[in-house]
Each structure stands twice: as structure tokens, then as C-alpha cells.
Amino acid sequence: MQQKAVTYIILIILATITAMACPKNAFKTLAKASSLKLKRGDKILLKAGQIFQGTLQLREAIGTIDFPITISVFGKGKATIQSGDSVALLSVNAAYLIVQNLICKGNGRLAGNNSNGLEFIQTINLTIDRVETTGYLFSGIQINGGRDIHIANVYAHDNGYCGIHVTSEPAGGDNSQDKTVRNVYIGYSMAENNPGCSAIKNNHSGNGILVGGVTNALIEYCEAMTNGWDMPRDGNGPVGIWAYHSDSVTIQHCYSHHNKTSAKGKDGGGFDFDGGITNSIMQYNLSAYNEGAGYGIFQYDGATAWSNNIVRYNISLHDGIKNGECGILMWCDEKALPMKNFHAYNNTIVNKYRHGVNFLPGHYENFVFENNIFLVTDSTDEFTAGKFTGASFVNNLYWNSFHAAKGMLQPVVRFEEKPLLADPLLALNRFDSIQVKNIRKVNSIPYFKLKKNSPAANAGSFINKNGGRDYWHHSLLDRPKISIGAFQKK
């Protein structure tokens, strides 16, 4: 009897809310649909291919695991919500909510919009799937608080602050120090051309994908590109894909490229583990042609402890065009808590702007760089730059192709007692871009593999709990020897 009652409610909602499904009874505006008190199993279905003006608001829409509340379409394709200067969909205190098959359009970040695209406040068990959001001053998708968040197949572009943003901070932005948002998944999504937010003058904006205040998050098979170029300030800046003040975050199989910052702004990098990150991993990612470093390892004043993080089997190509001039950049504010226990291993760094690794002043404890390839193509005299304490370099390969081509001696390797100075014989990309037409195949690129007779082959040290595979999914199990770099030659 209980299931039949829910089915009956769904049919009533379909008949009254779905545009064109029943013309005599259908609600004509989102405002009218917003007046409903939705209960478990209810659905709001907009007719696919149609345009709806205004905002859809959900207040305490409480579904169940078996009977979620669904916002979707009737028919094939997507429905469009044109929300003008406001938010397209606002949900407060919802549970077991599914939102899918929508295109949400604001007036434009510089054309009068002053909102997020989709905004969810304190939502439990939220699924967002097959959604496009564009033209919002702040974030395309904004999550404030909640748990069990699943975001997939999103295209967030031409927004201001961020493409996709998940944070534990309350909607008012009181800078919560709690990592209370739990179990976040972001996958198979793109954040493109989110340039910056004109309303934010005292902090970064123009990010691709950003999570903060989260415990247990997985970001995978996502692409962030050409974000951050119109941040309206100097100082700390945006990054393509990153996390701060979070625990147990994994960022993997992602491509972050051609991201930027303001004319005098900092950052603009590919990936970042920022202040307060603990027990987290970046692996199998590709970073290329970013104005900032490929992989930022940062700690700011006021952040909680930063410790026990890993960057492994990633690739950086010509990152640090303007800031950092390197593949991996470290920074720890002099007033911040020390950064502790970091392991960067089996990464392949190719850089024409100066360095493989760069340390800005700070306090670093037990930082280990192992089995990495640092191929520099600039005339610099340093592979690794900066002043630091508490870091060690073991079994890395260094090569400066510019020096080799000019018949010059290789630069002196600082920080490592027995470096391997040799051409790694990498298969390199000859162009200024790497096309990844399908993000699911980001780990199938033909570049950065070791050629025949590479000195990096089987020259690395074995590392326990190494993730089990290299960038190209080659197994690391039962191997008597490990190669240096992201490619494990068969």
C-alpha cells in the first residue's frame, strides 16, 4: 500500500508540473512549482527542449534512499532554466535529491547576474548528473554543507568564482574550520573558462573545481581549462583543480591545462593541495601549459595542520609560465604551521620555464622526492630551486636538453648526493597543446613514455603501497625493478 501511494503522488506531480504533459493542468511557471511541499518519491519533470524562466526553489525536500525526490525532464534531451540575475535552482535542507538533464543559464557574470547557478545548502545524499551551468557571477554549482554528494557529467563554464565548488562553510562564508562535508564524488566533468568574480576583491576567484572543508573526497576524470584570467585583484589566485582544509582527498585521472591568473596575481596552476590538507593523494594526472605550477603544495597562515600527502605518477608539461616556473612548487607562509610528511615520487616533469621543483621560503619537514624525472629545456643552471629545510632527494633523474644541445655541462644538482644525470629518452609532444578528446582516455596519451634503452628504465627504488599501477595503468605488482618517472617500461 505504501508504494502505491507514492506512485499516485508521482502521477499527480507529473500531471500538474510537467510542462506540455497535460496542458490544462500544467503549472506554467517555476515559481508555482516552487510552492509545492515535495515529499519522498515526488518528481518535478520539465519538458525536454523547452525553456523555463525564473528560479526553482526547494525547501526541505526530503526523500528516502528508495524514493528520492527527482528534478529532471519529460522526453529526450535537456530542459533549460533561464534564471536571469538570480539562481536557477536553490535547495535548502534537502535529502535524497536527484537533479539531472538541465541547462541553467544566467545573464552572464558581467551582465547582471549576482548568484550561483545551482545552489545546495545542507543537502544529504545529493546526485547531480548531466547538467550544464553557465553565466553566473559566482559558481556554476555551489554546495554549502551536507554529505554524500555525487556530481557527474557536468559542464560548468563561463561563470565567475568557480565551475564546481563544494565547501563546509555556511552560505554566508564564515570560514568554517570544520571538515564536515563527507563523502564527495566529482567525476567526468569539465570546468572551462570560469575567469573570475568581480564581487570578490580580497581573495582568489576563477577556479575550475574546488573542495574545502571535506572529509573523504574523490575527484576523477575531470578537465579544467582556461580558468582564472579575469580575477579582479593581485595576490593569491585561482587553480584548475584543488582542495584545501580537507582530509582524505584523492584527485586522479584529471587534465588541468592553460589555466591563468590576473596580470599581477599569483597561482594560476594546474592542481593544488592547499592549507590544511591531510592524508590525501594526487595520482595519474596530467598538467600542462598553466601560468602557475603544475602541482602546488601550499600552506597559508591560519590553516590547520598540513601532513601526510602524496603526489605520484603524475605528469607536468611546461607549467609555471608566469608563477613558480616549475612543475612542483612548495610554499609555506612564515606564520603558518609547518608542512610535514610529503612524498612526491615517480612523476615526470618537463619544463621549459626553469625548474623541476621550486621551494619558496617556508618550514618543510620530511619532504621526500623520489624516482622523479626532471627534464628541463631552459638555459637555467638549476633543476631544483629555493631554500628549504627537511627535504631529501633520492633516485631522481635530471637532464637539461638545452645545455646538452649547446655542448655545455649539465647544471649542478643540488640536494641529492648521487643523482642520475642522463637523457631520459622520453617520447615528447612537439606541439603547444595536448588534445584529450575523451577524458576517459587521459591515461592513454602516447607521450612521456620511455623510449628503448632509456636510462630511467628499471633504475628506480621500490616504494611500498605505491598505488599498484603507473600513469598508463601498467601494473606495478610482481615487478623486480621499478623505473624512474611515471612510465613503467615493460
Side-chain angles (χ1 to χ4, degrees):
M1 292 297 294
Q2 197 173 45
Q3 185 171 353
K4 290 182 179 179
V6 172
T7 303
Y8 176 77
I9 292 174
I10 293 175
L11 292 174
I12 294 296
I13 297 297
L14 283 172
T16 56
I17 296 178
T18 305
M20 304 301 291
C22 182
K24 293 183 179 181
N25 298 323
F27 291 156
K28 301 300 183 183
T29 67
L30 295 176
K32 185 66 174 178
S34 299
S35 67
L36 293 173
K37 179 68 174 180
L38 299 180
K39 298 180 180 179
R40 64 191 191 93
D42 288 350
K43 296 183 179 182
I44 295 180
L45 302 180
L46 308 177
K47 184 170 177 58
Q50 298 296 306
I51 298 175
F52 299 82
Q53 304 289 337
T55 298
L56 178 61
Q57 296 191 27
L58 308 177
R59 303 286 180 177
E60 298 184 354
I62 308 298
T64 66
I65 189 170
D66 294 319
F67 301 106
I69 291 172
T70 302
I71 312 299
S72 188
V73 299
F74 175 75
K76 294 184 179 180
K78 296 179 180 179
T80 298
I81 298 178
Q82 289 187 340
S83 59
D85 60 359
S86 188
V87 61
L89 189 156
L90 173 63
S91 174
V92 180
N93 297 328
Y96 295 97
L97 175 63
I98 298 173
V99 178
Q100 59 190 16
N101 298 317
L102 297 179
I103 299 172
C104 299
K105 294 184 177 181
N107 280 345
R109 67 182 185 93
L110 299 179
N113 185 273
N114 194 36
S115 301
N116 299 296
L118 283 73
E119 183 172 354
F120 302 87
I121 300 173
Q122 296 299 333
T123 303
I124 298 173
N125 291 94
L126 169 66
T127 297
I128 302 173
D129 191 19
R130 300 186 299 278
V131 168
E132 178 182 350
T133 177
T134 182
Y136 296 93
L137 178 61
F138 289 91
S139 296
I141 293 178
Q142 175 72 30
I143 312 290
N144 288 92
R147 61 177 171 83
D148 300 316
I149 311 296
H150 186 100
I151 302 171
N153 303 303
V154 166
Y155 181 32
H157 61 100
D158 297 283
N159 304 293
Y161 177 74
C162 192
I164 302 172
H165 184 209
V166 179
T167 177
S168 64
E169 295 180 11
D174 293 332
N175 194 26
S176 169
Q177 289 294 297
D178 297 323
K179 303 175 183 180
T180 55
V181 180
R182 295 182 176 272
N183 306 327
V184 174
Y185 178 85
I186 304 174
Y188 305 96
S189 297
M190 175 181 286
E192 179 180 10
N193 195 42
N194 301 284
C197 179
S198 58
I200 299 177
K201 301 295 199 299
N202 63 346
N203 209 342
H204 59 82
S205 66
N207 303 286
I209 299 172
L210 170 60
V211 299
V214 171
T215 298
N216 189 24
L218 173 59
I219 304 172
E220 65 176 0
Y221 296 105
C222 291
E223 184 172 2
M225 58 185 292
T226 60
N227 300 290
W229 53 267
D230 198 27
M231 181 178 70
R233 63 183 296 274
D234 301 338
N236 62 307
V239 174
I241 301 174
W242 61 295
Y244 73 97
H245 186 61
S246 296
D247 180 73
S248 301
V249 175
T250 298
I251 302 175
Q252 62 182 15
H253 310 299
C254 294
Y255 184 23
S256 188
H257 58 104
H258 295 94
N259 293 293
K260 298 174 171 56
T261 186
S262 63
K264 296 182 180 179
K266 298 183 184 299
D267 301 307
F271 299 87
D272 173 18
F273 276 164
D274 217 294
I277 289 288
T278 53
N279 306 310
S280 295
I281 298 174
M282 288 186 202
Q283 58 187 7
Y284 320 126
N285 300 297
L286 172 61
S287 179
Y289 311 106
N290 296 290
E291 287 193 345
Y295 301 89
I297 306 299
F298 303 147
Q299 173 76 328
Y300 56 85
D301 181 26
T304 55
W306 193 106
S307 64
N308 301 324
N309 299 308
I310 294 171
V311 172
R312 65 187 179 196
Y313 290 99
N314 301 285
I315 295 169
S316 169
L317 175 64
H318 301 323
D319 288 312
I321 295 172
K322 186 167 70 172
N323 295 318
E325 300 174 317
C326 64
I328 305 176
L329 176 65
M330 267 61 58
W331 169 74
C332 181
D333 188 280
E334 60 181 8
K335 297 180 181 180
L337 294 174
M339 305 175 76
K340 300 180 180 181
N341 304 327
F342 173 64
H343 200 178
Y345 61 89
N346 286 97
N347 301 288
T348 295
I349 310 296
V350 180
N351 194 276
K352 66 180 180 181
Y353 296 104
R354 290 196 73 187
H355 312 295
V357 173
N358 193 357
F359 280 84
L360 298 178
H363 191 165
Y364 311 97
E365 299 179 11
N366 191 29
F367 270 48
V368 179
F369 295 83
E370 188 172 6
N371 292 351
N372 302 290
I373 291 176
F374 299 124
L375 173 60
V376 176
T377 64
D378 181 74
S379 60
T380 181
D381 291 326
E382 294 183 303
F383 291 105
T384 55
K387 297 180 180 179
F388 62 93
T389 59
S392 60
F393 289 75
V394 182
N395 279 348
N396 299 289
L397 181 150
Y398 305 84
W399 189 248
N400 186 306
S401 61
F402 179 90
H403 282 218
K406 298 292 184 181
M408 303 165 59
L409 294 176
Q410 288 292 305
V412 175
V413 176
R414 298 195 293 157
F415 317 131
E416 185 161 351
E417 292 184 1
K418 298 180 179 180
L420 175 58
L421 277 168
D423 185 345
L425 298 178
L426 291 177
L428 293 177
N429 175 38
R430 297 177 296 167
F431 308 100
D432 290 331
S433 182
I434 296 177
Q435 297 296 325
V436 179
K437 295 182 179 180
N438 184 345
I439 192 62
R440 289 170 170 80
K441 297 183 179 180
V442 67
N443 300 110
S444 299
I445 57 174
Y447 314 114
F448 309 106
K449 297 180 180 180
L450 301 180
K451 296 180 180 179
K452 185 177 180 180
N453 299 322
S454 169
N458 302 323
S461 54
F462 183 82
I463 297 171
N464 289 322
K465 298 180 180 179
N466 56 18
R469 57 186 177 182
D470 73 354
Y471 180 92
W472 289 266
H473 302 293
H474 298 142
S475 175
L476 302 177
L477 302 177
D478 301 322
R479 283 180 177 264
K481 295 182 180 180
I482 294 294
S483 296
I484 296 175
F487 177 73
Q488 295 304 301
K489 193 172 180 64
K490 295 181 180 180

